[in-house]
């Protein structure tokens, strides 16, 4: 079809014309021929009047396929549902995959609207969504789908295949067929390949794989994502405490979790929310000001500390030329160490032996500190024709880097032990803290050797 050879912009222009000229048949034919992702992207660029016609032209199930592609955190999601009639909106939610519908409902601020949608929805869909919506955020239960296929272990393969065919249309995806006992407890898994190539009269229990990788419903979503990554899974079963099979987590949901966690880590390192694509200048300022004000007061501590050494600076004004060099380098070292530490914690690769980690980071800080310190000592000594000054700056640089390296590596670990998100130990915080400690170290060492510097 011609539509597949058009660019996104060309499709956008043509489809908008169909909507504006009330060409329902042509719009449906061309729009629904596109991939669901492209449909969703075009939906986002239609204006309110164009979407109003789209709601008339598409059935709830057709629109549900589009909303399954949209980001549930999109700030416009709630307004899209406000544009629809309540029965139509409820029907769309009921046709969506249950886990996606739950994500949408959790991001609708008007809870009365949520109650209305749930009341108008088909009872089966409402029941399924109600089960999922009660799970805690960021757990396996909150991201799983209940639209999966399971067969009983005492089925023959022929019976299992017939059951699979009858239930396939309801499943979100069919990567694996899970095997349960009479109590609906997970006992195994069977691949589609084994289901097809084995004799029809064999029992499922004879060919199923009992080595099952599964997660508990209350397991943290980050740990679940790591498990999917480690075992190269396309889907992961979720069980209750009695091993009852409650749902599955598909790889597309895991990719969303990884994106969320990456955004969280980047937000912490930068002390801003990097996931807000539609922020206004005012909302962006509100999110950044608390950190900036906090860091301002911490920075004032650095300024106050420098003022305590005014007499030292007056007697050797050359010292002031190296303040920013030392604080900047130490801040960079601390931020590097912080990034590595958060990465290790996020990937669960950090060493559980706290003392061993301390020794490792200390040695890393010493090696980098000594090399950088010796380098700047030689450069400063030659530049200022004052080698005692170069030695003071070199020692100060080495000590500042060691302390900053330890702070960047250990603060996230301490915060993790205390139950806080390690990404909160942000880059700006570490940099400002490094400024404070570096100034103290530099002027303390300089005051000790001031007689050598000014000779």
């Amino acid at each position: 079809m011609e539509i597949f050879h058009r660019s996104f912009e060309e499709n956008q222009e043509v489809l908008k014309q169909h909507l504006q000229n009330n060409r329902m048949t042509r719009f449906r034919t061309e729009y629904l021929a596109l991939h669901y992702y492209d449909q969703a992207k075009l939906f986002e660029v239609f204006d309110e009047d164009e979407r109003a016609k789209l709601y008339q032209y598409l059935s709830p199930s057709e629109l549900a396929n589009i909303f399954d592609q949209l980001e549930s955190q999109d700030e416009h999601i709630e307004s899209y549902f406000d544009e629809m009639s309540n029965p139509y909106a409820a029907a769309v939610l009921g046709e969506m995959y249950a886990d996606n519908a739950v994500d949408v409902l959790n991001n609708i601020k008007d809870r009365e609207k949520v109650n209305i949608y749930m009341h108008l929805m088909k009872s089966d869909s409402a029941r399924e969504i109600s089960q999922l919506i009660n799970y805690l955020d960021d757990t396996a239960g909150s991201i799983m789908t209940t639209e999966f296929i399971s067969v009983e272990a005492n089925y023959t393969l022929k019976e299992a295949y017939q059951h699979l065919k009858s239930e396939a249309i309801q499943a979100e995806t069919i990567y694996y067929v899970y095997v349960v006992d009479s109590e609906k407890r997970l006992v195994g898994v069977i691949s589609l390949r084994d289901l097809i190539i084995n004799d029809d009269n064999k029992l499922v229990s004879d060919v199923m794989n009992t080595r099952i990788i599964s997660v508990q419903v209350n397991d943290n979503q980050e740990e679940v994502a790591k498990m999917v990554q480690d075992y190269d899974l396309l889907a992961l079963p979720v069980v209750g405490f009695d091993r009852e099979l409650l749902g599955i987590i598909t790889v597309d949901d895991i990719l969303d979790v990884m994106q969320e966690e990456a955004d969280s880590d980047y937000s912490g390192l930068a002390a801003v929310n990097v996931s807000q694509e539609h922020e206004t200048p005012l909302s962006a300022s509100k999110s950044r000001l608390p950190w900036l004000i906090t860091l301002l007061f911490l920075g004032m501590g650095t300024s106050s500390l420098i003022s305590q050494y005014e007499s030292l600076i007056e007697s050797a004004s050359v010292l002031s030329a190296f303040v920013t060099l030392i604080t900047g380098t130490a801040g960079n070292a601390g931020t590097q160490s912080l990034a590595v530490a958060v990465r290790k914690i996020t990937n669960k690769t950090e060493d559980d032996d706290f003392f061993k980690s301390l020794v490792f980071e200390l040695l890393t800080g010493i090696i980098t500190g000594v090399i950088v310190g010796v380098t700047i000592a030689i450069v400063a000594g030659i530049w200022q024709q004052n080698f005692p000054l170069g030695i003071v700056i070199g020692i100060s640089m080495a000590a500042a880097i060691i302390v900053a390296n330890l702070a960047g590596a250990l603060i996230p670990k301490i915060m993790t032990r205390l139950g806080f998100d390690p990404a909160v130990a942000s880059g700006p915080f570490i940099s400002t803290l490094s400024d404070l400690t570096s100034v103290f170290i530099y002027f303390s060492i300089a005051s000790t050797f001031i007689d050598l510097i000014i000779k």
Side-chain angles (χ1 to χ4, degrees):
M1 290 180 66
E2 181 186 353
I3 192 168
F4 296 120
H5 302 291
R6 298 179 193 148
S7 67
F8 179 86
E9 291 74 17
E10 290 171 335
N11 276 328
Q12 177 184 336
E13 182 179 350
V14 171
L15 290 168
K16 278 177 170 283
Q17 288 176 356
H18 291 338
L19 288 171
Q20 291 162 6
N21 295 317
N22 300 314
R23 301 176 189 144
M24 182 182 77
T25 303
R26 291 191 63 180
F27 175 82
R28 282 181 52 82
T29 300
E30 297 190 16
Y31 186 64
L32 295 177
L34 294 169
H35 190 280
Y36 292 144
Y37 175 82
D38 294 320
Q39 292 179 33
K41 288 302 172 186
L42 285 165
F43 176 87
E44 291 180 314
V45 299
F46 292 149
D47 61 33
E48 186 173 348
D49 291 335
E50 291 164 344
R51 288 195 299 271
K53 290 183 180 179
L54 182 142
Y55 301 144
Q56 298 173 25
Y57 294 171
L58 301 185
S59 68
S61 62
E62 290 167 338
L63 190 60
N65 291 329
I66 297 171
F67 273 83
D68 276 325
Q69 299 293 319
L70 296 176
E71 291 291 334
S72 60
Q73 289 82 13
D74 189 325
E75 62 183 15
H76 300 297
I77 286 284
E78 186 168 4
S79 65
Y80 294 151
F81 280 94
D82 287 340
E83 294 168 355
M84 311 174 199
S85 67
N86 288 339
Y88 184 83
V92 171
L93 286 164
E95 293 288 343
M96 291 175 64
Y97 292 126
D99 56 331
N100 293 337
V102 168
D103 289 340
V104 170
L105 291 171
N106 281 334
N107 283 282
I108 292 179
K109 298 181 179 65
D110 186 347
R111 304 317 292 173
E112 184 58 34
K113 275 278 190 182
V114 173
N115 293 332
I116 291 172
Y117 295 152
M118 295 294 290
H119 178 73
L120 293 173
M121 212 177 290
K122 290 179 181 178
S123 57
D124 288 346
S125 299
R127 189 181 310 111
E128 197 170 6
I129 290 172
S130 295
Q131 291 172 349
L132 291 178
I133 210 166
N134 291 322
Y135 290 114
L136 295 174
D137 290 341
D138 301 331
T139 62
S142 69
I143 59 173
M144 74 179 184
T145 178
T146 54
E147 292 152 327
F148 62 92
I149 295 179
S150 64
V151 297
E152 292 195 12
N154 59 3
Y155 280 12
T156 64
L157 293 184
K158 182 177 181 179
E159 290 172 331
Y161 183 70
Q162 290 173 340
H163 179 73
L164 176 64
K165 286 188 67 176
S166 66
E167 297 293 323
I169 194 170
Q170 304 295 331
E172 179 170 340
T173 188
I174 310 174
Y175 297 127
Y176 313 105
V177 179
Y178 298 99
V179 185
V180 296
D181 61 17
S182 58
E183 302 289 327
K184 303 301 180 185
R185 292 174 297 202
L186 181 64
V187 294
V189 63
I190 183 171
S191 68
L192 294 179
R193 181 178 183 276
D194 287 335
L195 191 61
I196 294 170
I197 67 173
N198 283 288
D199 187 275
D200 286 349
N201 296 318
K202 278 189 175 182
L203 293 177
V204 169
S205 57
D206 293 333
V207 298
M208 70 181 185
N209 187 347
T210 57
R211 296 191 300 274
I212 317 162
I213 306 298
S214 63
V215 293
Q216 292 282 337
V217 70
N218 288 325
D219 285 350
N220 184 274
Q221 66 175 18
E222 191 176 347
E223 296 173 359
V224 173
K226 185 68 167 57
M227 189 173 293
V228 170
Q229 183 182 29
D230 288 343
Y231 289 93
D232 291 328
L233 299 173
L234 296 174
L236 187 63
V238 181
V239 298
F241 294 107
D242 58 354
R243 295 291 297 171
E244 179 188 1
L245 181 58
L246 300 176
I248 65 170
I249 298 172
T250 56
V251 68
D252 58 314
D253 293 319
I254 291 301
L255 291 174
D256 291 339
V257 169
M258 290 179 171
Q259 182 63 53
E260 288 176 18
E261 296 298 336
D263 286 345
S264 174
D265 290 343
Y266 284 132
S267 296
L269 289 171
V272 295
N273 188 349
V274 299
S275 64
Q276 293 295 329
E277 297 180 1
H278 305 287
E279 274 191 317
T280 64
L282 181 61
S283 62
S285 299
K286 286 181 179 178
S287 65
R288 300 180 190 188
L289 276 172
W291 263 108
L292 291 175
I293 297 298
T294 301
L295 295 173
L296 173 65
F297 282 103
L298 191 57
M300 287 176 63
T302 304
S303 300
S304 299
L305 185 61
I306 292 176
S307 67
Q308 300 298 314
Y309 292 98
E310 283 182 356
S311 58
L312 178 66
I313 295 173
E314 287 177 1
S315 60
S317 59
V318 70
L319 292 173
S320 61
F322 296 93
V323 173
T324 54
L325 180 64
I326 292 175
T327 57
T329 305
N332 292 337
T335 302
Q336 287 178 334
S337 182
L338 170 68
V340 172
V342 171
R343 175 70 174 170
K344 286 182 178 179
I345 292 171
T346 300
N347 290 335
K348 299 293 183 292
T349 59
E350 79 277 16
D351 199 325
D352 290 331
D353 188 335
F354 189 82
F355 179 74
K356 190 174 180 180
S357 295
L358 178 65
V359 172
F360 177 86
E361 296 300 340
L362 178 61
L363 291 175
T364 302
I366 290 173
I367 292 170
T368 55
V370 168
I371 293 174
V372 174
V374 169
T375 301
I376 191 60
I378 295 171
V379 171
I382 295 173
W383 176 28
Q384 296 295 325
Q385 296 295 305
N386 188 336
F387 282 98
L389 172 65
I391 293 172
V392 166
I393 293 171
I395 294 172
S396 301
M397 180 73 81
I401 288 175
I402 292 170
V403 171
N405 193 76
L406 283 174
L410 298 183
I411 287 178
K413 294 180 185 294
I414 294 170
M415 295 186 75
T416 301
R417 293 289 180 94
L418 296 175
F420 296 104
D421 184 352
V424 174
S426 68
F429 175 77
I430 291 295
S431 295
T432 308
L433 183 63
S434 295
D435 288 348
L436 187 62
T437 56
S438 300
V439 167
F440 176 75
I441 290 169
Y442 178 42
F443 285 118
S444 295
I445 294 173
S447 61
T448 302
F449 298 99
I450 186 63
D451 291 338
L452 296 174
I453 294 173
I454 60 177
K455 283 184 179 180

